[in-house]
Amino acid sequence: MIQILVTGGNGQLAQCLKSLSENYKNYQFTFFSREDFNIVNEEEVKRVLKSKNFSFCINCAAFTNVDNCELNNEAPDLVNNKGVKYLATACKENNVKLVHVSTDFVFDGNQSIPYKETDKTNPLGVYGTTKLLGEEAVQNTCDAFYILRTSWLYSEFGNNFLKTMLRLSETRPELGVVFDQVGTPTYAKDLASIILTIIKEDNDAFGIYHYSNEGVASWYDFAIAIFSLKNINTKVLPIRSEQYPTPATRPSYSVFDKQKIKDVFNVTLPHWRTSLEACLQNV
Ligand SMILES: NC(=O)c1ccc[n+]([C@@H]2O[C@H](COP(=O)([O-])OP(=O)(O)OC[C@H]3O[C@@H](n4cnc5c(N)ncnc54)[C@H](OP(=O)(O)O)[C@@H]3O)[C@@H](O)[C@H]2O)c1
């Protein structure tokens, strides 16, 4: 059995991995919640990575509340940077390949063509900054790593934009949603699936990869699609970001160029609308 360690086991990506992992009979997955395995505890990281003959570690643990990151720099830095460094170090010491997940928020959004892996990073806030430091920690510490940058994750699990829209629609006849931030919604189950493909291929094509669903949307477009597919009558009003002020500034454009992952792993990626329909079957 190939042993796989998954951190952040209660998060939406880890739960998607859990639901797909049942089809992977030759692999034994160990999912750790934050209570069982806190990645900011260096000794615990060393002990857990040594405890079994893991071949892969999938790091789904992160401080993901982008606005809270602006209110408290220390906690996100511990999880998204220092904890990742501890994991990368322990992975290297124990010969474990690390699959680490990062974000479109490492970019400033000033580009108007899809971002490639080689494009210049320039995070706008604490979340993106700490996630970028985490990427650098991985790259500077171990050789056997896959960093998957992804964007606008949603699923039937956890808290996300899709769930928020469905909840608000129960009480609100109309909602303002920003139209001047453009990216690609990504079903976390599709990301989980590509992670499992990478592990199955095990081709040592280490490096950074961009992964999202296909297509382009604003949050406004995404909300409209959710309500139309669910036959919800809540009216969606297009608003500008300045009309919905938040502690964190978000990139206005964060569409990914995904050619590298398609070429290296020979995969086709579903369009965001197709995946939204699939997810809504499970919500
Ligand atoms: N969500 C998005 O829109 C988005 C977009 C781009 C990239 N990403 C990246 O995708 C990855 C997965 O995100 P997600 O949406 O699945 O996030 P999520 O649902 O917030 O899950 C993150 C998990 O990490 C756990 N965690 C936090 N601190 C920890 C620590 N010190 N030790 C161990 N576990 C810890 C959390 O535990 P608790 O459950 O106890 O809080 C939570 O279960 C993250 O790397 C994130 O940065 C997310």
Side-chain angles (χ1 to χ4, degrees), residues 152 154 160-169 172-179 181 183-185 216-239 272-273 276 280:
W152 298 25
Y154 69 91
N160 54 61
F161 182 83
L162 165 69
K163 304 265 288 282
T164 304
M165 288 299 113
L166 293 177
R167 181 171 37 83
L168 291 176
S169 73
R172 304 269 282 271
E174 61 179 39
L175 276 174
V177 181
V178 297
F179 69 91
Q181 290 170 30
T184 312
V216 177
S218 68
W219 291 109
Y220 168 79
D221 297 323
F222 190 21
I224 293 268
I226 294 166
F227 292 162
S228 117
L229 287 167
K230 285 295 267 186
N231 289 321
I232 290 171
N233 290 327
T234 297
K235 194 170 169 204
V236 187
L237 307 172
I239 60 168
W272 68 264
R273 231 187 121 90
L276 174 60
L280 286 172

Side-chain angles (χ1 to χ4, degrees), residues 6-266:
V6 183
T7 64
N10 288 342
Q12 64 169 336
L13 175 58
Q15 291 190 67
C16 289
L17 279 164
K18 207 175 278 176
S19 68
L20 296 179
S21 64
E22 285 147 22
N23 306 325
Y24 283 70
K25 300 292 176 214
N26 296 331
Y27 297 80
Q28 186 167 51
F29 291 82
T30 308
F31 290 87
F32 282 112
S33 68
R34 186 207 327 220
E35 291 70 40
D36 299 331
F37 178 26
N38 192 323
I39 68 162
V40 308
N41 181 333
E42 192 172 5
E43 290 311 311
E44 194 162 271
V45 173
K46 283 184 183 165
R47 182 177 53 72
V48 169
L49 266 292
K50 233 188 247 163
S51 65
K52 249 190 209 172
N53 195 15
F54 291 113
S55 296
F56 287 90
C57 168
I58 308 173
N59 182 29
C60 298
F63 193 117
T64 56
N65 188 317
V66 176
D67 289 319
N68 281 352
C69 283
E70 295 298 317
L71 313 173
N72 168 8
N73 295 10
E74 211 175 306
D77 186 65
L78 266 176
V79 186
N80 297 342
N81 174 24
K82 297 200 175 70
V84 174
K85 170 88 179 165
Y86 302 151
L87 268 184
T89 306
C91 282
K92 184 174 170 75
E93 284 169 4
N94 294 282
N95 220 4
V96 178
K97 296 175 189 179
L98 176 59
V99 181
H100 177 65
V101 184
S102 192
T103 170
D104 53 332
F105 279 42
V106 298
F107 296 114
D108 58 20
N110 289 338
Q111 237 173 248
S112 50
I113 54 167
Y115 279 97
K116 289 187 196 311
E117 290 80 354
T118 46
D119 282 327
K120 192 178 167 302
T121 53
N122 183 30
L124 298 176
V126 173
Y127 173 70
T129 301
T130 57
K131 291 293 289 184
L132 181 60
L133 288 169
E135 287 186 6
E136 289 165 1
V138 171
Q139 291 172 281
N140 295 334
T141 308
C142 55
D143 308 312
F145 68 84
Y146 302 90
I147 295 174
L148 294 180
R149 291 187 184 137
T150 192
S151 64
W152 298 25
L153 275 192
Y154 69 91
S155 69
E156 57 270 41
F157 305 108
N159 299 314
N160 54 61
F161 182 83
L162 165 69
K163 304 265 288 282
T164 304
M165 288 299 113
L166 293 177
R167 181 171 37 83
L168 291 176
S169 73
E170 287 170 12
T171 53
R172 304 269 282 271
E174 61 179 39
L175 276 174
V177 181
V178 297
F179 69 91
D180 56 0
Q181 290 170 30
V182 172
T184 312
T186 304
Y187 186 17
K189 214 169 247 177
D190 293 336
L191 175 61
S193 174
I194 193 83
I195 289 174
L196 295 173
T197 300
I198 289 171
I199 287 177
K200 216 165 65 179
E201 291 266 316
D202 197 9
N203 64 2
D204 292 353
F206 302 124
I208 299 184
Y209 292 90
H210 284 178
Y211 181 86
S212 69
N213 283 134
E214 292 283 21
V216 177
S218 68
W219 291 109
Y220 168 79
D221 297 323
F222 190 21
I224 293 268
I226 294 166
F227 292 162
S228 117
L229 287 167
K230 285 295 267 186
N231 289 321
I232 290 171
N233 290 327
T234 297
K235 194 170 169 204
V236 187
L237 307 172
I239 60 168
R240 290 190 303 277
S241 299
E242 67 209 44
Q243 293 173 276
Y244 186 74
T246 52
T249 307
R250 274 114 171 122
S252 57
Y253 178 91
S254 64
V255 178
F256 283 147
D257 181 319
K258 300 167 286 287
Q259 201 55 47
K260 183 179 173 190
I261 202 160
K262 289 188 222 175
D263 289 347
V264 174
F265 294 99
N266 197 21

